[in-house]
Amino acid sequence: MRRLKRKTLFSLALCLHAASGQAETLEEAWNAALAASPALAAQTQQVAAAQARQNAAQALNWPTLSLAAGVTHLSQPPTTSIDLSPLGIPSSLSMPLTDSTVSLGQLGLSYPLYTSGRITSTQQAADANLKSTQAQTDKTRQDLKLSVAEAYLNVQRADAAAEVAKQLRDSLVAHRNDVKAMEKQGLAAPVERMTADVALADAERQLIDARQATELARAAYNRLLARPLTQVVQLDALADGPAPDMSPEAADKALNQRPELQALQSGQLALREQAKAQRGEDGPQIAAQASYWRWNGLPTNDNHTGTIGVMLSWNLFDGGLNKGKSDALVAEAASLADKQRDAESLIRLDVLNAQLGNRSASERLSVATAAEDLAVESLRLTKLRYQNAQAIQTEVLAAETRLADARRARTNAHFDVQLARLRLLRAMGEL
Protein backbone atom coordinates (compact mmCIF):
# COMPACT_ATOMS: atom_id res chain seq x y z
CA MET A 1 0.00 0.00 0.00
CA ARG A 2 2.86 2.38 0.86
CA ARG A 3 4.62 1.64 -2.45
CA LEU A 4 1.34 2.17 -4.35
CA LYS A 5 0.90 5.53 -2.64
CA ARG A 6 4.41 6.62 -3.60
CA LYS A 7 3.82 5.47 -7.18
CA THR A 8 0.53 7.42 -7.33
CA LEU A 9 2.13 10.59 -6.00
CA PHE A 10 5.02 10.22 -8.42
CA SER A 11 2.63 9.78 -11.36
CA LEU A 12 0.68 12.84 -10.24
CA ALA A 13 3.87 14.86 -10.12
CA LEU A 14 4.74 13.74 -13.63
CA CYS A 15 1.30 14.74 -14.90
CA LEU A 16 1.67 18.18 -13.32
CA HIS A 17 5.15 18.41 -14.84
CA ALA A 18 3.75 17.65 -18.30
CA ALA A 19 0.85 20.06 -17.80
CA SER A 20 3.28 22.85 -16.91
CA GLY A 21 4.75 22.65 -20.40
CA GLN A 22 8.28 21.84 -19.21
CA ALA A 23 10.27 19.43 -21.34
CA GLU A 24 11.05 16.15 -19.61
CA THR A 25 14.71 15.18 -19.34
CA LEU A 26 16.09 11.69 -19.77
CA GLU A 27 17.04 11.59 -16.09
CA GLU A 28 13.43 12.35 -15.14
CA ALA A 29 12.23 9.67 -17.53
CA TRP A 30 14.58 7.15 -15.93
CA ASN A 31 13.33 8.01 -12.44
CA ALA A 32 9.72 7.62 -13.54
CA ALA A 33 10.35 4.27 -15.23
CA LEU A 34 12.34 2.89 -12.29
CA ALA A 35 9.55 3.86 -9.91
CA ALA A 36 6.83 2.28 -12.07
CA SER A 37 8.53 -0.86 -13.42
CA PRO A 38 6.89 -4.14 -12.26
CA ALA A 39 10.00 -6.09 -13.28
CA LEU A 40 12.24 -3.92 -11.11
CA ALA A 41 9.74 -4.05 -8.25
CA ALA A 42 9.73 -7.85 -8.45
CA GLN A 43 13.54 -7.93 -8.44
CA THR A 44 13.57 -5.60 -5.43
CA GLN A 45 11.37 -8.08 -3.60
CA GLN A 46 13.91 -10.76 -4.44
CA VAL A 47 16.58 -8.65 -2.77
CA ALA A 48 14.37 -8.29 0.30
CA ALA A 49 13.93 -12.06 0.38
CA ALA A 50 17.70 -12.58 0.12
CA GLN A 51 18.25 -10.13 2.98
CA ALA A 52 15.72 -12.05 5.08
CA ARG A 53 17.57 -15.31 4.34
CA GLN A 54 20.83 -13.62 5.32
CA ASN A 55 19.30 -12.54 8.65
CA ALA A 56 18.02 -16.08 9.19
CA ALA A 57 21.50 -17.49 8.56
CA GLN A 58 23.04 -15.07 11.06
CA ALA A 59 20.49 -16.20 13.66
CA LEU A 60 22.04 -19.69 13.60
CA ASN A 61 24.81 -18.36 15.88
CA TRP A 62 22.31 -17.54 18.61
CA PRO A 63 21.14 -19.97 21.29
CA THR A 64 17.66 -21.40 20.98
CA LEU A 65 15.21 -21.38 23.85
CA SER A 66 12.25 -23.79 23.75
CA LEU A 67 9.30 -24.55 25.96
CA ALA A 68 7.36 -27.80 26.02
CA ALA A 69 4.44 -28.82 28.23
CA GLY A 70 1.87 -31.58 28.36
CA VAL A 71 -0.96 -32.95 30.48
CA THR A 72 -1.93 -36.65 30.59
CA HIS A 73 -5.09 -38.09 32.13
CA LEU A 74 -5.01 -41.78 33.11
CA SER A 75 -8.30 -43.70 33.23
CA GLN A 76 -6.66 -46.28 35.49
CA PRO A 77 -3.59 -44.95 37.27
CA PRO A 78 -0.90 -47.62 37.83
CA THR A 79 -0.83 -49.09 41.34
CA THR A 80 1.50 -51.26 43.41
CA SER A 81 0.48 -53.99 45.88
CA ILE A 82 2.23 -54.63 49.20
CA ASP A 83 1.88 -58.09 50.81
CA LEU A 84 1.22 -57.74 54.56
CA SER A 85 1.34 -61.46 55.42
CA PRO A 86 4.91 -61.29 56.76
CA LEU A 87 3.52 -58.98 59.35
CA GLY A 88 0.93 -61.52 60.35
CA ILE A 89 -1.81 -59.70 58.51
CA PRO A 90 -3.54 -61.98 55.97
CA SER A 91 -4.11 -59.21 53.39
CA SER A 92 -2.33 -56.83 50.99
CA LEU A 93 -2.25 -53.05 50.55
CA SER A 94 -2.73 -51.41 47.12
CA MET A 95 -1.24 -47.93 46.51
CA PRO A 96 -1.46 -45.73 43.33
CA LEU A 97 1.91 -44.78 41.73
CA THR A 98 0.62 -41.55 40.15
CA ASP A 99 -2.37 -39.30 40.23
CA SER A 100 -4.96 -39.77 37.54
CA THR A 101 -3.74 -36.52 35.92
CA VAL A 102 -0.02 -35.96 35.30
CA SER A 103 1.43 -32.67 33.99
CA LEU A 104 4.96 -32.13 32.75
CA GLY A 105 6.80 -29.02 31.54
CA GLN A 106 10.30 -28.40 30.15
CA LEU A 107 12.29 -25.23 29.40
CA GLY A 108 15.31 -25.99 27.25
CA LEU A 109 18.31 -23.95 26.10
CA SER A 110 20.68 -25.08 23.36
CA TYR A 111 23.80 -23.36 22.00
CA PRO A 112 25.84 -24.69 19.06
CA LEU A 113 29.52 -25.18 19.85
CA TYR A 114 30.70 -27.01 16.73
CA THR A 115 28.79 -27.82 13.54
CA SER A 116 31.51 -29.08 11.15
CA GLY A 117 31.36 -25.76 9.28
CA ARG A 118 27.64 -26.03 8.58
CA ILE A 119 26.67 -22.67 10.11
CA THR A 120 29.63 -20.75 8.68
CA SER A 121 29.00 -22.08 5.17
CA THR A 122 25.29 -21.36 5.43
CA GLN A 123 26.01 -17.75 6.37
CA GLN A 124 28.55 -17.29 3.58
CA ALA A 125 26.10 -18.81 1.10
CA ALA A 126 23.42 -16.34 2.23
CA ASP A 127 25.84 -13.41 1.85
CA ALA A 128 26.82 -14.52 -1.66
CA ASN A 129 23.19 -15.08 -2.62
CA LEU A 130 22.35 -11.53 -1.54
CA LYS A 131 25.19 -10.13 -3.68
CA SER A 132 24.00 -12.20 -6.65
CA THR A 133 20.44 -10.95 -6.25
CA GLN A 134 21.60 -7.34 -5.95
CA ALA A 135 23.66 -7.73 -9.13
CA GLN A 136 20.63 -9.13 -10.96
CA THR A 137 18.66 -6.11 -9.76
CA ASP A 138 21.36 -3.82 -11.12
CA LYS A 139 21.15 -5.63 -14.47
CA THR A 140 17.38 -5.16 -14.55
CA ARG A 141 17.82 -1.49 -13.72
CA GLN A 142 20.40 -0.89 -16.45
CA ASP A 143 18.37 -2.81 -19.04
CA LEU A 144 15.33 -0.72 -18.18
CA LYS A 145 17.28 2.53 -18.43
CA LEU A 146 18.57 1.56 -21.87
CA SER A 147 15.04 0.66 -23.02
CA VAL A 148 13.75 4.02 -21.78
CA ALA A 149 16.63 5.84 -23.47
CA GLU A 150 15.87 4.07 -26.76
CA ALA A 151 12.18 4.98 -26.48
CA TYR A 152 13.12 8.57 -25.51
CA LEU A 153 15.33 8.94 -28.59
CA ASN A 154 12.76 7.18 -30.78
CA VAL A 155 10.23 9.89 -29.89
CA GLN A 156 12.69 12.60 -30.85
CA ARG A 157 13.72 10.68 -33.96
CA ALA A 158 10.05 10.36 -35.00
CA ASP A 159 9.47 14.06 -34.34
CA ALA A 160 12.47 14.92 -36.49
CA ALA A 161 11.26 12.62 -39.28
CA ALA A 162 7.83 14.27 -39.15
CA GLU A 163 9.48 17.69 -39.37
CA VAL A 164 11.45 16.56 -42.43
CA ALA A 165 8.22 15.29 -44.01
CA LYS A 166 6.55 18.62 -43.24
CA GLN A 167 9.43 20.56 -44.78
CA LEU A 168 9.16 18.43 -47.92
CA ARG A 169 5.40 19.00 -48.07
CA ASP A 170 5.79 22.77 -47.58
CA SER A 171 8.52 22.97 -50.20
CA LEU A 172 6.39 21.06 -52.71
CA VAL A 173 3.42 23.32 -51.95
CA ALA A 174 5.59 26.32 -52.82
CA HIS A 175 6.83 24.57 -55.96
CA ARG A 176 3.27 23.67 -57.02
CA ASN A 177 2.25 27.33 -56.59
CA ASP A 178 5.21 28.42 -58.71
CA VAL A 179 4.25 25.97 -61.44
CA LYS A 180 0.64 27.19 -61.40
CA ALA A 181 1.83 30.76 -61.77
CA MET A 182 4.09 29.74 -64.64
CA GLU A 183 1.17 27.86 -66.25
CA LYS A 184 -0.96 31.01 -66.19
CA GLN A 185 1.84 32.84 -67.92
CA GLY A 186 2.14 30.08 -70.50
CA LEU A 187 5.60 29.14 -69.28
CA ALA A 188 4.60 25.68 -68.04
CA ALA A 189 2.41 22.96 -69.49
CA PRO A 190 -0.62 21.63 -67.59
CA VAL A 191 1.11 18.28 -67.28
CA GLU A 192 3.85 19.93 -65.21
CA ARG A 193 1.23 21.26 -62.78
CA MET A 194 -0.33 17.80 -62.54
CA THR A 195 3.08 16.24 -61.92
CA ALA A 196 3.63 18.73 -59.10
CA ASP A 197 0.22 17.83 -57.67
CA VAL A 198 1.10 14.13 -57.69
CA ALA A 199 4.42 14.81 -55.93
CA LEU A 200 2.62 16.95 -53.35
CA ALA A 201 0.06 14.23 -52.70
CA ASP A 202 2.84 11.72 -52.10
CA ALA A 203 4.50 14.17 -49.69
CA GLU A 204 1.17 14.53 -47.83
CA ARG A 205 1.04 10.74 -47.51
CA GLN A 206 4.57 10.65 -46.12
CA LEU A 207 3.64 13.33 -43.60
CA ILE A 208 0.60 11.33 -42.47
CA ASP A 209 2.76 8.22 -42.00
CA ALA A 210 5.39 10.22 -40.11
CA ARG A 211 2.82 11.70 -37.74
CA GLN A 212 1.40 8.24 -37.08
CA ALA A 213 4.92 7.05 -36.29
CA THR A 214 5.30 9.85 -33.75
CA GLU A 215 2.09 8.82 -31.99
CA LEU A 216 3.25 5.22 -31.82
CA ALA A 217 6.67 6.28 -30.50
CA ARG A 218 5.00 8.36 -27.79
CA ALA A 219 2.71 5.47 -26.83
CA ALA A 220 5.68 3.10 -26.51
CA TYR A 221 7.51 5.68 -24.39
CA ASN A 222 4.50 6.28 -22.13
CA ARG A 223 4.02 2.54 -21.62
CA LEU A 224 7.52 2.20 -20.16
CA LEU A 225 6.71 4.99 -17.72
CA ALA A 226 3.32 3.44 -16.79
CA ARG A 227 1.40 6.43 -18.15
CA PRO A 228 -1.68 6.67 -20.35
CA LEU A 229 -0.55 5.82 -23.86
CA THR A 230 -1.98 9.04 -25.30
CA GLN A 231 -0.47 11.37 -22.69
CA VAL A 232 1.22 14.44 -24.16
CA VAL A 233 4.98 14.04 -24.33
CA GLN A 234 7.45 16.93 -24.39
CA LEU A 235 11.07 15.84 -24.26
CA ASP A 236 14.19 17.85 -23.70
CA ALA A 237 17.01 17.53 -26.21
CA LEU A 238 19.58 15.03 -24.98
CA ALA A 239 22.84 16.74 -24.16
CA ASP A 240 26.09 15.28 -25.42
CA GLY A 241 27.71 13.18 -22.70
CA PRO A 242 31.38 12.40 -22.10
CA ALA A 243 33.39 10.93 -24.94
CA PRO A 244 32.85 7.17 -25.19
CA ASP A 245 35.63 4.83 -24.10
CA MET A 246 37.09 3.53 -27.35
CA SER A 247 40.25 2.06 -25.78
CA PRO A 248 41.19 -1.63 -26.12
CA GLU A 249 41.08 -1.88 -22.31
CA ALA A 250 37.35 -1.11 -22.27
CA ALA A 251 36.45 -4.80 -22.50
CA ASP A 252 38.58 -5.67 -19.45
CA LYS A 253 36.95 -2.81 -17.57
CA ALA A 254 33.52 -4.09 -18.56
CA LEU A 255 34.33 -7.56 -17.20
CA ASN A 256 34.86 -5.99 -13.77
CA GLN A 257 31.71 -3.88 -13.91
CA ARG A 258 28.99 -5.83 -15.68
CA PRO A 259 26.35 -6.97 -13.15
CA GLU A 260 25.70 -10.15 -15.16
CA LEU A 261 29.18 -11.46 -14.32
CA GLN A 262 28.90 -10.33 -10.71
CA ALA A 263 25.65 -12.25 -10.40
CA LEU A 264 27.21 -15.40 -11.87
CA GLN A 265 30.31 -15.16 -9.67
CA SER A 266 28.30 -14.66 -6.49
CA GLY A 267 25.89 -17.40 -7.56
CA GLN A 268 28.78 -19.86 -7.88
CA LEU A 269 30.09 -18.94 -4.43
CA ALA A 270 26.63 -19.34 -2.92
CA LEU A 271 26.21 -22.83 -4.41
CA ARG A 272 29.67 -23.96 -3.30
CA GLU A 273 29.04 -22.77 0.24
CA GLN A 274 25.64 -24.50 0.24
CA ALA A 275 27.43 -27.70 -0.79
CA LYS A 276 29.85 -27.30 2.14
CA ALA A 277 26.94 -26.72 4.51
CA GLN A 278 25.24 -29.86 3.19
CA ARG A 279 28.41 -31.91 3.75
CA GLY A 280 28.60 -30.46 7.24
CA GLU A 281 25.35 -32.26 8.02
CA ASP A 282 27.35 -35.52 8.01
CA GLY A 283 29.96 -34.21 10.45
CA PRO A 284 29.78 -34.15 14.25
CA GLN A 285 27.46 -31.59 15.80
CA ILE A 286 28.24 -30.46 19.34
CA ALA A 287 25.92 -28.25 21.37
CA ALA A 288 25.72 -27.11 24.99
CA GLN A 289 22.31 -27.82 26.44
CA ALA A 290 20.50 -26.87 29.64
CA SER A 291 16.99 -27.88 30.71
CA TYR A 292 14.62 -27.24 33.55
CA TRP A 293 11.84 -29.77 34.24
CA ARG A 294 8.76 -29.41 36.39
CA TRP A 295 5.92 -31.89 36.92
CA ASN A 296 2.86 -32.64 38.99
CA GLY A 297 1.13 -35.93 39.76
CA LEU A 298 4.22 -38.15 40.12
CA PRO A 299 5.17 -39.83 43.44
CA THR A 300 8.45 -37.99 44.01
CA ASN A 301 9.70 -35.85 46.85
CA ASP A 302 10.50 -32.97 44.47
CA ASN A 303 8.48 -31.83 41.49
CA HIS A 304 11.30 -30.11 39.56
CA THR A 305 14.88 -30.66 38.43
CA GLY A 306 17.49 -29.19 36.09
CA THR A 307 20.11 -30.59 33.75
CA ILE A 308 23.14 -29.17 31.97
CA GLY A 309 25.56 -30.83 29.62
CA VAL A 310 27.09 -31.16 26.19
CA MET A 311 25.36 -33.12 23.43
CA LEU A 312 27.18 -34.79 20.56
CA SER A 313 25.28 -35.98 17.50
CA TRP A 314 26.85 -37.55 14.43
CA ASN A 315 25.07 -38.75 11.33
CA LEU A 316 27.06 -41.92 10.64
CA PHE A 317 24.98 -43.21 7.74
CA ASP A 318 22.15 -41.73 5.69
CA GLY A 319 22.37 -43.77 2.52
CA GLY A 320 24.32 -41.02 0.72
CA LEU A 321 21.51 -38.46 1.04
CA ASN A 322 23.63 -35.47 2.08
CA LYS A 323 26.45 -36.38 -0.30
CA GLY A 324 24.00 -36.52 -3.19
CA LYS A 325 22.58 -33.11 -2.32
CA SER A 326 26.09 -31.67 -2.01
CA ASP A 327 27.18 -33.12 -5.36
CA ALA A 328 24.13 -31.62 -7.03
CA LEU A 329 25.02 -28.17 -5.69
CA VAL A 330 28.63 -28.54 -6.85
CA ALA A 331 27.40 -29.47 -10.34
CA GLU A 332 25.15 -26.39 -10.41
CA ALA A 333 28.12 -24.22 -9.44
CA ALA A 334 30.16 -25.75 -12.27
CA SER A 335 27.30 -24.98 -14.65
CA LEU A 336 27.38 -21.32 -13.61
CA ALA A 337 31.15 -21.28 -14.15
CA ASP A 338 30.62 -22.43 -17.75
CA LYS A 339 27.95 -19.76 -18.22
CA GLN A 340 30.35 -17.16 -16.84
CA ARG A 341 33.03 -18.04 -19.39
CA ASP A 342 30.46 -17.77 -22.17
CA ALA A 343 29.18 -14.46 -20.76
CA GLU A 344 32.71 -13.04 -20.67
CA SER A 345 33.21 -13.63 -24.39
CA LEU A 346 29.76 -12.20 -25.14
CA ILE A 347 30.55 -9.09 -23.11
CA ARG A 348 33.80 -8.57 -25.01
CA LEU A 349 31.83 -8.85 -28.25
CA ASP A 350 29.16 -6.51 -26.88
CA VAL A 351 31.76 -3.86 -26.04
CA LEU A 352 33.44 -4.19 -29.43
CA ASN A 353 30.09 -3.94 -31.21
CA ALA A 354 29.18 -0.83 -29.21
CA GLN A 355 32.55 0.78 -29.95
CA LEU A 356 32.18 0.08 -33.67
CA GLY A 357 28.64 1.45 -33.50
CA ASN A 358 29.94 4.68 -31.96
CA ARG A 359 32.62 5.07 -34.61
CA SER A 360 30.35 4.34 -37.55
CA ALA A 361 27.60 6.60 -36.20
CA SER A 362 30.03 9.51 -35.85
CA GLU A 363 31.31 8.93 -39.38
CA ARG A 364 27.76 8.74 -40.75
CA LEU A 365 26.87 12.01 -39.03
CA SER A 366 29.82 13.82 -40.64
CA VAL A 367 28.98 12.44 -44.06
CA ALA A 368 25.24 13.11 -43.71
CA THR A 369 25.79 16.69 -42.55
CA ALA A 370 27.94 17.43 -45.59
CA ALA A 371 25.43 15.69 -47.86
CA GLU A 372 22.58 17.80 -46.49
CA ASP A 373 24.49 21.01 -47.19
CA LEU A 374 25.11 19.85 -50.75
CA ALA A 375 21.46 18.84 -51.19
CA VAL A 376 20.26 22.28 -50.04
CA GLU A 377 22.51 24.01 -52.54
CA SER A 378 21.62 21.52 -55.29
CA LEU A 379 17.90 22.21 -54.83
CA ARG A 380 18.45 25.97 -54.90
CA LEU A 381 20.42 25.80 -58.15
CA THR A 382 17.98 23.35 -59.74
CA LYS A 383 15.05 25.64 -58.99
CA LEU A 384 16.88 28.58 -60.55
CA ARG A 385 17.62 26.54 -63.65
CA TYR A 386 13.96 25.43 -63.83
CA GLN A 387 12.72 29.00 -63.55
CA ASN A 388 15.08 29.92 -66.39
CA ALA A 389 13.88 26.99 -68.51
CA GLN A 390 17.27 25.31 -68.20
CA ALA A 391 15.98 22.26 -66.26
CA ILE A 392 12.86 20.16 -66.33
CA GLN A 393 10.48 19.68 -63.42
CA THR A 394 11.62 16.09 -62.85
CA GLU A 395 15.01 17.43 -61.84
CA VAL A 396 13.40 19.76 -59.30
CA LEU A 397 11.34 16.96 -57.77
CA ALA A 398 14.39 14.69 -57.66
CA ALA A 399 16.34 17.43 -55.88
CA GLU A 400 13.48 17.85 -53.37
CA THR A 401 13.55 14.10 -52.68
CA ARG A 402 17.33 14.09 -52.31
CA LEU A 403 17.16 16.92 -49.79
CA ALA A 404 14.48 15.15 -47.76
CA ASP A 405 16.52 11.95 -47.80
CA ALA A 406 19.64 13.87 -46.77
CA ARG A 407 17.79 15.50 -43.87
CA ARG A 408 16.43 12.15 -42.71
CA ALA A 409 19.91 10.64 -42.94
CA ARG A 410 21.41 13.47 -40.89
CA THR A 411 18.75 13.32 -38.16
CA ASN A 412 19.02 9.54 -37.99
CA ALA A 413 22.80 9.76 -37.73
CA HIS A 414 22.45 12.38 -34.99
CA PHE A 415 20.26 10.13 -32.86
CA ASP A 416 22.38 7.10 -33.74
CA VAL A 417 25.39 8.86 -32.20
CA GLN A 418 23.51 9.52 -28.97
CA LEU A 419 22.09 6.00 -28.80
CA ALA A 420 25.46 4.42 -29.58
CA ARG A 421 27.01 6.29 -26.65
CA LEU A 422 24.33 5.01 -24.27
CA ARG A 423 24.67 1.47 -25.59
CA LEU A 424 28.40 1.56 -24.96
CA LEU A 425 27.74 2.71 -21.40
CA ARG A 426 25.40 -0.27 -20.98
CA ALA A 427 27.98 -2.61 -22.48
CA MET A 428 30.50 -1.25 -19.96
CA GLY A 429 28.06 -1.70 -17.08
CA GLU A 430 28.05 2.03 -16.38
CA LEU A 431 24.54 3.08 -17.40
Side-chain angles (χ1 to χ4, degrees):
M1 178 64 71
R2 187 178 303 170
R3 182 180 178 275
L4 180 60
K5 183 177 180 180
R6 289 199 302 268
K7 178 179 176 181
T8 302
L9 291 175
F10 194 81
S11 299
L12 179 60
L14 290 174
C15 291
L16 293 175
H17 182 278
S20 66
Q22 296 179 349
E24 187 173 40
T25 65
L26 180 57
E27 191 68 31
E28 292 170 339
W30 278 342
N31 292 335
L34 293 175
S37 170
L40 185 59
Q43 195 60 48
T44 303
Q45 292 299 323
Q46 291 294 327
V47 172
Q51 289 173 334
R53 283 191 289 269
Q54 183 189 49
N55 294 335
Q58 293 299 324
L60 294 174
N61 284 328
W62 289 85
T64 58
L65 182 64
S66 61
L67 175 65
V71 177
T72 302
H73 178 74
L74 304 175
S75 60
Q76 292 182 349
T79 60
T80 183
S81 180
I82 301 177
D83 185 10
L84 300 179
S85 58
L87 300 177
I89 302 173
S91 64
S92 61
L93 178 63
S94 296
M95 297 180 58
L97 295 178
T98 65
D99 295 342
S100 60
T101 300
V102 178
S103 61
L104 178 66
Q106 180 211 10
L107 184 65
L109 179 68
S110 178
Y111 182 77
L113 300 178
Y114 178 74
T115 62
S116 299
R118 175 177 57 84
I119 290 180
T120 301
S121 295
T122 299
Q123 292 172 342
Q124 292 177 349
D127 294 342
N129 182 66
L130 175 59
K131 291 180 181 179
S132 177
T133 308
Q134 289 172 335
Q136 293 171 17
T137 302
D138 187 25
K139 175 186 179 300
T140 301
R141 182 181 296 107
Q142 292 196 39
D143 287 343
L144 177 60
K145 291 179 70 174
L146 181 59
S147 296
V148 171
E150 290 175 345
Y152 188 97
L153 290 175
N154 283 341
V155 172
Q156 295 186 331
R157 189 193 299 267
D159 286 342
E163 180 60 27
V164 169
K166 182 177 180 298
Q167 290 175 347
L168 175 61
R169 191 274 313 271
D170 293 346
S171 181
L172 289 177
V173 167
H175 173 68
R176 193 267 312 269
N177 292 337
D178 290 341
V179 173
K180 288 178 66 176
M182 293 173 64
E183 181 185 8
K184 290 180 180 180
Q185 297 173 7
L187 300 177
V191 68
E192 294 184 74
R193 189 232 333 134
M194 289 186 286
T195 302
D197 287 337
V198 171
L200 178 58
D202 186 66
E204 292 282 4
R205 177 193 59 79
Q206 293 182 36
L207 180 57
I208 292 172
D209 292 343
R211 286 173 174 170
Q212 180 184 5
T214 62
E215 295 300 321
L216 290 176
R218 281 172 165 75
Y221 174 77
N222 283 328
R223 188 193 70 83
L224 287 175
L225 276 62
R227 297 173 177 171
L229 299 183
T230 56
Q231 180 171 317
V232 176
V233 174
Q234 297 180 18
L235 302 182
D236 193 16
L238 188 61
D240 293 334
D245 188 353
M246 304 295 287
S247 66
E249 295 78 18
D252 294 329
K253 186 178 179 181
L255 294 179
N256 294 325
Q257 297 181 156
R258 283 287 287 263
E260 295 91 330
L261 287 183
Q262 295 170 8
L264 289 171
Q265 292 166 355
S266 297
Q268 292 174 58
L269 178 59
L271 289 170
R272 287 195 295 267
E273 292 299 330
Q274 289 177 31
K276 291 180 182 179
Q278 196 65 51
R279 288 196 297 270
E281 296 281 354
D282 285 337
Q285 312 289 315
I286 302 176
Q289 293 185 342
S291 298
Y292 174 75
W293 299 80
R294 188 177 183 88
W295 61 86
N296 290 308
L298 296 178
T300 57
N301 292 330
D302 296 323
N303 67 342
H304 61 89
T305 189
T307 61
I308 188 171
V310 176
M311 176 67 71
L312 169 66
S313 62
W314 198 334
N315 182 20
L316 298 179
F317 180 74
D318 63 357
L321 175 63
N322 287 324
K323 181 179 183 302
K325 291 181 178 180
S326 177
D327 291 345
L329 292 169
V330 170
E332 290 182 22
S335 173
L336 289 186
D338 293 335
K339 291 181 180 180
Q340 178 182 339
R341 286 192 293 272
D342 185 55
E344 288 174 353
S345 65
L346 289 174
I347 287 173
R348 289 185 180 277
L349 179 60
D350 195 16
V351 172
L352 177 60
N353 183 43
Q355 288 178 326
L356 293 176
N358 271 270
R359 186 175 66 188
S360 63
S362 297
E363 293 172 351
R364 288 198 307 273
L365 180 58
S366 298
V367 172
T369 301
E372 182 184 8
D373 293 339
L374 291 174
V376 170
E377 182 64 13
S378 174
L379 177 60
R380 186 184 70 82
L381 295 176
T382 303
K383 284 185 175 181
L384 286 176
R385 291 176 59 236
Y386 177 71
Q387 292 170 359
N388 294 322
Q390 296 176 344
I392 61 176
Q393 181 176 230
T394 303
E395 295 180 71
V396 176
L397 298 179
E400 292 278 10
T401 301
R402 284 195 299 271
L403 177 56
D405 291 340
R407 283 172 172 166
R408 276 191 288 266
R410 184 192 60 78
T411 56
N412 283 331
H414 169 73
F415 292 113
D416 286 344
V417 168
Q418 295 181 324
L419 184 56
R421 179 178 62 83
L422 293 171
R423 283 177 174 167
L424 181 56
L425 289 175
R426 176 62 188 93
M428 297 289 296
E430 297 176 347
L431 190 59

